């Protein structure tokens, strides 16, 4: 049995960084990875999908060349093999960098294989038995496979397997109108596929405010993406060489024909084969490992970070989880999950960035608030780029003038939002932010202007 100061399970976003901090502090660390270094973000998530977004944007901008006074010499044509090769090259470089860093790290031993608990302080990896007083689980998640009628009778894609395509689907149906589904829908529409999005809810990205959801839908429909909402029942069946997707089981069944189906209906934590029962850990109804505000599980000495704890599900929350655990273990700094401000981005084009509370949440909590909205048609940077879809929305507490939240749907919104996020973390009064001199022409320069035009939220 090999003994270490800590065992880290998972080489995604939190694991390698935590290994670096612990080994630098003199700890001996065993890091276990069953498959690919870098985790889902680097291999099947952010890195490859944003590379695809970039390729899709290039195609889209090329088709719009005449809008900018550029006369294209030939029609846009996609070379999907080169698109895939470019994406895979970016992923491989990132993944290899993480692996090399870990293998060269002093006091860090790499084990490749599936880890399974033997006791609260012991894990088995193949023929190896490892023990440590500190066990840190960062095992990530995978695409959920819903129990749809007919799902066992037809081929389908997930957000992971669709990355292996090197040909263009003639007709792609995306089941799921959330963040991953909409990103792929726009990517493949811009590549040239016919795309239909099927969503069970009454709105796309239903956790966002209604005006945001509606604007997102308008952007996608303007590009030729068909949207089907309120799909009470989704079913699948073979239809010759194609697949028929049923979207209603109450009235006459409506069907959409597809050459390819992408299931984008959430994710499942990779906790089902860890042998958690041997450690005395119980998961919740969705398979997540419950943790406290410092990411400790109910069993002393075991922590859960990243997607598997249900406290974020984003790369940036996983990275922040690492910082919280490292601060508590090494720095005598009682950082906690509740310190952070919720933030996320939907990487369609233009992107949607959201921080803090939504307008709906402010209303539900009954807070007296001020609101400011500015359409991107009144943002110079957007006008100059001929990318005027969307708007900026800012919410401020009516009494304290504390910034409660913001949404930016528009060009550069994923970067401009950090101006607001930084102000919220620093506790900066809106009066100070309003007086800030921002660079022109940018999207962020309109935030002080927007603060000067706030009105009561009624």
């Amino acid at each position: 049995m090999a003994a270490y100061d800590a065992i880290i399970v998972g080489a995604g976003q939190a694991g390698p960084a935590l290994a670096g901090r612990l080994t630098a502090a003199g700890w001996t660390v065993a890091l276990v990875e069953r498959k690919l270094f870098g985790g889902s973000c680097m291999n099947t998530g952010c890195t490859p999908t944003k590379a695809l977004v970039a390729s899709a944007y290039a195609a889209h901008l090329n088709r719009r060349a005449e809008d900018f006074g550029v006369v294209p010499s030939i029609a846009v044509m996609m070379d999907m093999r080169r698109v895939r090769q470019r994406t895979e090259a970016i992923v491989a470089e990132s993944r290899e960098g993480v692996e090399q860093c870990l293998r060269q790290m002093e006091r860090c031993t790499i084990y490749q294989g599936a880890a399974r608990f033997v006791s609260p302080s012991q894990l088995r990896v193949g023929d190896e038995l490892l023990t440590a007083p500190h066990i840190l689980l960062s095992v990530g998640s995978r695409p959920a496979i819903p129990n749809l009628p007919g799902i066992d009778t037809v081929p389908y894609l997930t957000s992971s397997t669709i990355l292996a395509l090197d040909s263009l689907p003639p007709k792609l149906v995306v089941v799921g109108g959330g963040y991953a589904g909409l990103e792929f829908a726009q990517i493949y529409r811009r590549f040239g596929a016919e795309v239909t999005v099927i969503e069970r809810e009454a709105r796309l990205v239903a956790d966002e405010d209604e005006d945001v959801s509606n604007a997102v839908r308008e952007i996608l429909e303007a590009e030729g993406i068909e949207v089907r909402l309120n799909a009470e029942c989704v079913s699948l069946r073979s239809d010759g060489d194609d697949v028929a997707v049923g979207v209603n089981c109450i009235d006459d069944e409506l069907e959409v024909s597809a050459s390819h189906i992408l299931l984008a209906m959430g994710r499942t934590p990779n906790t089902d084969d860890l042998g958690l029962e041997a450690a005395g850990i119980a998961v919740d109804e969705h398979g997540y490992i419950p943790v406290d505000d410092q990411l400790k599980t109910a069993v002393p000495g075991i922590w859960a970070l990243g997607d598997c704890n249900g406290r974020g599900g984003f790369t940036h929350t996983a990275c922040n989880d690492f910082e919280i655990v490292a601060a508590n273990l090494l720095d005598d700094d009682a950082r906690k999950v509740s310190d952070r401000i919720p933030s996320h981005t939907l990487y369609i084009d233009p992107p949607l960035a959201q921080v803090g509370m939504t307008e709906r949440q402010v209303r539900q909590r009954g807070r007296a608030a001020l609101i400011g909205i500015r359409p991107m048609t009144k943002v110079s940077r957007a006008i100059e780029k001929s990318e005027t879809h969307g708007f900026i929305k800012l919410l401020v507490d009516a009494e304290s003038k504390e910034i409660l939240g913001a949404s930016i749907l528009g060009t550069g919104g994923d970067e401009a939002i950090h101006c607001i996020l930084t102000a919220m973390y620093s506790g900066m009064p809106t009066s100070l932010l309003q007086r800030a001199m921002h660079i022109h022409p940018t999207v962020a320069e309109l935030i002080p202007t927007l603060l000067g035009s706030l009105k009561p939220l009624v």
Side-chain angles (χ1 to χ4, degrees), residues 222-400:
E223 295 191 19
I225 296 173
E226 185 177 357
V227 176
R228 299 285 189 92
L229 302 174
N230 296 301
E232 288 99 337
C233 180
V234 179
S235 60
L236 310 174
R237 70 175 181 84
S238 295
D239 184 19
D241 293 334
D242 289 342
V243 177
V245 185
V247 296
N248 196 317
C249 289
I250 297 177
D251 302 320
D252 292 338
E253 185 171 286
L254 304 176
E255 288 188 332
V256 179
S257 179
S259 62
H260 295 71
I261 294 174
L262 169 63
L263 299 181
M265 303 178 72
R267 297 185 68 83
T268 298
N270 296 323
T271 57
D272 49 328
D273 62 351
L274 283 172
L276 292 172
E277 62 280 357
I281 296 176
V283 298
D284 68 14
E285 58 181 338
H286 302 294
Y288 294 106
I289 301 173
V291 293
D292 66 12
D293 212 17
Q294 295 179 332
L295 303 173
K296 300 174 184 176
T297 70
V299 178
I302 303 178
W303 288 256
L305 300 80
D307 290 5
C308 68
N309 64 25
R311 301 296 290 269
F314 301 103
T315 294
H316 51 276
T317 53
C319 292
N320 188 252
D321 282 359
F322 139 66
E323 294 175 353
I324 290 170
V325 172
N328 280 274
L329 283 177
L330 302 176
D331 304 331
D332 194 27
D333 182 356
R335 290 181 61 173
K336 52 189 184 295
V337 176
S338 56
D339 289 336
R340 65 192 183 203
I341 298 169
S343 58
H344 63 268
T345 294
L346 165 64
Y347 284 99
I348 59 168
D349 173 42
L352 163 66
Q354 198 279 327
V355 298
M357 298 169 66
T358 63
E359 179 183 341
R360 179 173 56 181
Q361 290 171 330
V362 172
R363 291 182 183 278
Q364 288 174 342
R365 298 178 190 183
R367 295 189 68 161
L370 305 173
I371 187 171
I373 299 178
R374 188 176 189 90
M376 298 302 286
T377 52
K378 294 186 178 180
V379 176
S380 295
R381 185 64 173 150
I383 295 169
E384 292 150 4
K385 296 175 69 177
S386 290
E387 297 180 3
T388 55
H389 292 296
F391 56 87
I392 305 171
K393 177 163 62 172
L394 190 62
L395 293 150
V396 174
D397 186 275
E399 296 181 4
S400 68

